[in-house]
Amino acid sequence: QVQLVESGGGVVQPGGSLRLSCATSGFTFTSYPMSWYRQAPGKERELVADISTIGNTGYADPVKGRFTIYRSNGKNTLYLQMNNLKPEDTAVYYCKVTIRPLDGRTYVYWGQGTQVTVSS
């Protein structure tokens, strides 16, 4: 069974840092691109960053220069390093993988989410 488990969220002051982790199991980690999303209260879930199987990365404009997505293939774990956090970064953060096996279907898997709160 595919499982994604986020951790590392918490409460920090503006300008602080957090590192989020997404531990995975149940699929070949190195074979699929992965991504981080976030959802603030009353807003739609939005893409934060993604990473390809070979390490190419992309970021949403609000987090460029502050966040870094990376993966540890040896640990089957996805990370999001978050620096210079701002109050508008407050949200539940989710990791995601989309898997298309040979049965012709598309499967989207989400973690349970981890809360990040940035407040003075």
Side-chain angles (χ1 to χ4, degrees):
Q1 302 93 322
V2 173
Q3 290 188 312
L4 308 174
V5 181
E6 300 99 332
S7 62
V11 180
V12 297
Q13 293 182 296
S17 297
L18 287 172
R19 188 182 74 166
L20 306 184
S21 299
C22 176
T24 75
S25 61
F27 66 100
T28 303
F29 181 77
T30 57
S31 296
Y32 300 95
M34 298 192 69
S35 56
W36 285 98
Y37 284 71
R38 67 186 182 186
Q39 188 167 21
K43 295 186 177 182
E44 297 294 321
R45 191 170 298 184
E46 64 177 0
L47 177 67
V48 176
D50 54 24
I51 185 167
S52 75
T53 58
I54 60 172
N56 297 128
T57 59
Y59 299 91
D61 286 340
V63 308
K64 286 181 179 177
R66 300 188 297 119
F67 291 9
T68 303
I69 185 172
Y70 61 102
R71 63 197 300 163
S72 173
N73 291 336
K75 297 181 178 180
N76 293 337
T77 300
L78 178 72
Y79 299 94
L80 184 68
Q81 179 66 47
M82 309 164 67
N83 297 328
N84 192 23
L85 284 160
K86 302 176 179 180
E88 52 263 43
D89 296 319
T90 296
V92 178
Y93 285 72
Y94 302 88
C95 63
K96 188 192 89 171
V97 63
T98 300
I99 298 174
R100 295 197 292 114
L102 299 178
D103 62 4
R105 298 183 180 183
T106 299
Y107 299 87
V108 179
Y109 297 93
W110 297 92
Q112 84 288 350
T114 186
Q115 176 71 49
V116 172
T117 301
V118 185
S119 177
S120 60

